[in-house]
Amino acid sequence: IYKVADLEVVALRGLELSVKPGEIIAIVGASGSGKSTLLNILAGYDTPSAGTVRVGEYDLLNMTAKEVVDYRRSEVGFIWQETSRNLFPYLTALENVELPMVLTGVPPKARRERAEQLLALVGLSKRMGHGQSELSGGEQQRVSIAVALANEPPLLLADEPTGELDDETSAAVLDLLNTVNRELRTTIIVVTHDPAIASSVGRAIAIRDGKTSTEMLRRVSFERRIGGQTEDVEEFLLVDSSGSVQIPRSVLDRLVIGRRVRVGVEHGKVTLEPGGE
Ligand code: ADP
Ligand code: MG
């Protein structure tokens, strides 16, 4: 809940989400649905007014100031949408990647080596000496990913990392996040308003009005006969711990459901029937 003067803005309510170590998931939702609020909480930038948030060993509602600093330095990497916000313009790509390791006291030689490895991983071995102004938007986001990974955080958070990029460059950055997830086993949560991203990660969770509403799962099935691989994305509604589900707007409109529904169970299926005004 954000408090602005006398007003309270409830940004998240009834959000339930559990992410396994090593997973890569997308959080999708319209503008204002609470995506950034969730990510800022997970990054340790904001403390929620209530609820429970755990990341690894950390209880994000009960941390001392020192724990918050340690948490931000070693547990999470963060990538902002604004490419310019991720990098220091007067440092080279290599220096930008080294900087977080300076803060955690990694010796110069080790830090140089790791920075070079990370820039190789993101495909920028040949651009290490370039400053921000000499890098394209996509390249800047690649460097930003390397910066976020500098201290080997188990969790990587990206808030609309492709929001300022064209489609092709966006796809390449998403591919890179998938590569990082596979090769470094980093848990990744990527926020986007682009539903197409759902099909490029293992699982996509939709947020509506600050609440987890649906989950899209990617099913990969192999067609032996032709040796090809097809992908299906199946969408599920999420049931929270109190039994609530959010009925999608499109279904509400189609059935003209008002304030009440009759609930039935038929042949193992739950049915909802308009119950009048
Ligand atoms: P998204 O990232 O999905 O666009 P946000 O998490 O930024 O959504 O915002 C969720 C809601 O919280 C919106 O109604 C927004 O106006 C409100 N909000 C976000 N940040 C603040 C803030 N610092 N102060 C007050 N209200 C805020
Ligand atoms: Mg946002």
Side-chain angles (χ1 to χ4, degrees):
I1 300 171
Y2 292 106
K3 293 201 175 67
V4 186
D6 294 345
L7 231 78
E8 287 195 340
V9 180
V10 180
L12 298 175
R13 172 151 53 195
L15 184 128
E16 292 179 21
L17 176 64
S18 163
V19 182
K20 292 194 188 75
E23 248 194 303
I24 176 164
I25 69 156
I27 304 276
V28 297
S31 178
S33 55
K35 305 182 298 295
S36 294
T37 303
L38 173 63
L39 232 57
N40 287 337
I41 288 172
L42 291 176
Y45 296 138
D46 261 334
T47 315
S49 343
T52 314
V53 188
R54 276 178 203 288
V55 179
E57 300 286 298
Y58 290 83
D59 172 355
L60 299 203
L61 267 84
N62 292 298
M63 288 205 287
T64 62
K66 186 186 174 302
E67 282 171 330
V68 172
V69 173
D70 289 346
Y71 176 77
R72 285 198 213 147
R73 276 191 192 158
S74 58
E75 293 296 306
V76 283
F78 201 93
I79 301 152
W80 305 92
Q81 172 179 350
E82 302 86 3
T83 47
S84 55
R85 200 167 166 185
N86 291 311
L87 303 174
F88 286 98
Y90 45 85
L91 298 181
T92 64
L94 190 67
E95 288 165 345
N96 265 294
V97 182
E98 280 191 56
L99 191 62
M101 293 183 272
V102 174
L103 298 176
T104 51
V106 179
K109 190 162 170 288
R111 144 180 124 205
R112 174 66 45 106
E113 270 171 22
R114 175 149 177 89
E116 286 173 358
Q117 280 168 7
L118 283 170
L119 285 167
L121 176 74
V122 302
L124 290 176
S125 287
K126 297 209 170 73
R127 298 268 194 284
M128 293 197 281
H130 290 219
Q132 192 187 25
S133 61
E134 299 163 306
L135 298 166
S136 70
E139 287 169 343
Q140 288 180 41
Q141 285 308 62
R142 286 170 177 274
V143 177
S144 307
I145 292 171
V147 170
L149 292 170
N151 285 319
E152 304 180 63
L155 177 63
L156 187 65
L157 304 169
D159 195 352
E160 312 215 26
T162 63
E164 291 184 352
L165 307 176
D166 60 65
D167 289 353
E168 204 177 316
T169 316
S170 295
V173 168
L174 279 170
D175 275 354
L176 176 58
L177 289 175
N178 276 301
T179 305
V180 166
N181 168 254
R182 230 178 15 249
E183 301 205 349
L184 305 180
R185 298 180 193 281
T186 312
T187 309
I188 301 182
I189 302 181
V190 47
V191 156
T192 175
H193 59 251
D194 178 7
I197 287 183
S199 58
S200 64
V201 294
R203 191 156 73 102
I205 292 97
I207 299 191
R208 229 175 79 197
D209 302 330
K211 186 180 191 321
T212 35
S213 64
T214 61
E215 178 168 304
M216 283 147 280
L217 282 184
R218 189 173 55 157
R219 294 267 160 81
V220 181
S221 58
F222 291 91
E223 299 211 335
R224 291 221 179 77
R225 206 161 38 87
I226 46 171
Q229 184 180 318
T230 59
E231 288 185 3
D232 271 334
V233 178
E234 202 179 347
E235 186 167 338
F236 296 91
L237 290 184
L238 292 173
V239 186
D240 75 13
S241 52
S242 64
S244 306
V245 287
Q246 270 189 325
I247 302 169
R249 184 88 255 158
S250 55
V251 175
L252 285 178
D253 291 346
R254 212 159 62 212
L255 289 184
V256 203
I257 292 178
R259 276 181 49 243
R260 297 190 202 99
V261 286
R262 265 187 215 97
V263 183
V265 180
E266 284 170 18
H267 311 298
K269 289 188 176 174
V270 177
T271 60
L272 299 177
E273 190 190 338
E277 284 308 296

